[in-house]
Amino acid sequence: MASRIKGINALSALRRPRAILWATAGVVALGFLIALEIAARGYGLPGPITNQAKEVIFAPKSGPLLYGSMALMMVVLTWRQRLIAIGAAVGIDLVFILVRWAVDAQVESGHGHAFGNGALWVILGCAVIALTRRTGPERTLLLKGVGLGLLLVAGRKTGDTWLLITSKTRPTVLDQYVAVADHALGDPSWVAGRIVEATGPVGEHVLDWVYIQLAVAAVVVALYQLRHVAAERRFPRHHLVRTFLVIGLLGPGIYMLFPVVGPIFAYGADGGHWAVADLWPNTPPPVDIPHGMPFNDTTPRNCMPSLHTAWATAIFIHSRKGPWLLRFAGVFWLVATLGATLGFGYHYGTDIIAGVVFTLTIEAALRQFDRGWDRSGIRFVAHGTTVFVAYLVAYRYLPMWMAEHAWFAGPLLVLAMVSVIYGYVRTTRCWEPKATPAPRPEPQPELV
C-alpha cells in the first residue's frame, strides 16, 4: 500500500511541472494575442481576437479552415460523437444560410464564406461540455482537442495581423538587395513566371488552389498522424501541427528584420508607382548597386523567408511515414507550392532556400525538445541556425559580390542548403529507434 501511494505521488510530481508549463504557455499566448489586438487597434483595424469573435455570427473568411480545425478537434472524440458533431455543424450552417437568405444578407465574393460558423460553434460547444460535463483525464483530453482546433484558426488570424504590422512599421523594403543576390541562382522567379504563363489558365488555377489551401493539406496529414488519439486517449509526442504553428510564430519576426515584398510588387505591375519598373517576369532586373526602397503601407513584407515553402516542406517531412497516397500528396504539394511561390512572383529564389533551412532547423529543434537534447541535435540546430543567419547577412551585405561571382556564389548557396538537408536526414535517422532483430529459432533435436 505504501509503495502504491509513493508511485501516485511520484506521478503527480511529474505531471505538476508539465501542467505549470501548459498554463504558462496559455498565459503567454493570451498575452501575445492581446498585444496584437492592441497593436492592430492602434492602426484603426480589428485584431485577431475581434476577427475570430466576429466569425461566431458573421460570414467567416476562413470557412474551409474552420472545418479543418473542427476535424482536428474531433480526433479526441468517438465515431458516434464525431457524427453528432458533423451533423450539428452542418445543421447550424444551414440555419445561418437560411437566415442570411431571409434577410437578404448575401455573402460578398472575397469577403467571406457561406459556411464555417457551424464548425466554430461545435468547437466552442465542446469546450463548454469539457468544462461542465467532463472531469479528470476526459476533460483534459477534450480541452486539448479544442485547443488544437482553436490554435489553427487563431494562428491564421494572428498571421493576418502580423502582416498588417509589417506593412505599417516597415516603410522601407530590401527587395533590391534580394533581387541582386538572386542573380547568383539564375533569377528563378522570372524563369518560373514565364513557365506558368506558358501553361495557361489551367496551370495557374491548379497552382493557385494549392497555394491557398496549404492549411487544408496540413490538416489532412495531421489527421493521419493523430488518428489513434481517441483510442489511446493521448496525443503523440510530436506532430505536424506543432511545427506548423512554430513556423508561423517565428517567421513574422524575420519579416520585421528583413522586410521584402516580392518580385511581382517590387518589379511588376502589381507594385504600381512604387515598383522599380515593370520587369517581372519577362526582363530580369539589372545588376546595379542596391538600395532600400520605400513602399506602400498596405503590401505585407512577407517574403524572407518563404513561409509557404517552409510549411510545404513540413508537410512533406511529416507525410513520409504515411501510406503511398499521402507520400505522393506531400511531394505534389511541395512541388506545386514551389511552382506557385516562384511562378506567381511572390518570392525570390533566395527566399525559397532560406525557407527550407528555416523549417528543417525548427523541426529538428522540436524533436530534440521532445526526446531530450544531445550532442548531435545541438550540433545540427546550431548548423541550421548558422546557415540561415549567413543567408540573411549575405543577401544584405554581399549581393553585388554574389551577382558578379554567380558561378561560385550560386552553387555555394545551394550547397549550404544541401548540407542542412543532409545533416537533418542523418541526425534524425540516428534518433529513430532501431528495430530489434527477431530471435533465431533454436535447433530442434532430430527425431529418430
Side-chain angles (χ1 to χ4, degrees), residues 3 99 138 162 279 318 334 352 384 428:
S3 61
V99 171
E138 291 297 320
W162 259 120
L279 301 176
H318 284 266
L334 177 59
I352 301 299
T428 53

Side-chain angles (χ1 to χ4, degrees), residues 230-272:
E232 298 178 354
R233 315 308 293 167
R234 64 180 180 85
F235 280 83
R237 297 175 66 183
H238 182 59
H239 52 82
L240 174 60
V241 179
R242 299 176 64 203
T243 306
F244 219 74
L245 292 173
V246 174
I247 289 172
L249 179 65
L250 298 181
I254 311 300
Y255 294 164
M256 301 291 286
L257 298 174
F258 210 106
V260 180
V261 293
I264 196 172
F265 297 105
Y267 295 94
D270 287 21

Side-chain angles (χ1 to χ4, degrees), residues 28-49:
V28 171
L30 179 61
F32 180 65
L33 288 173
I34 293 174
L36 286 180
E37 182 75 26
I38 294 172
R41 291 287 179 176
Y43 295 109
L45 294 170
I49 298 176

Side-chain angles (χ1 to χ4, degrees), residues 268-318:
D270 287 21
H273 70 276
W274 297 95
V276 176
D278 188 1
L279 301 176
W280 188 90
N282 298 313
T283 307
V287 180
D288 295 328
I289 297 176
H291 301 281
M293 51 185 287
F295 214 78
N296 63 36
D297 61 353
T298 56
T299 303
R301 281 62 165 153
N302 61 340
C303 281
M304 182 62 69
S306 168
L307 292 197
H308 262 78
T309 300
W311 283 320
T313 303
I315 291 173
F316 171 81
I317 292 171
H318 284 266

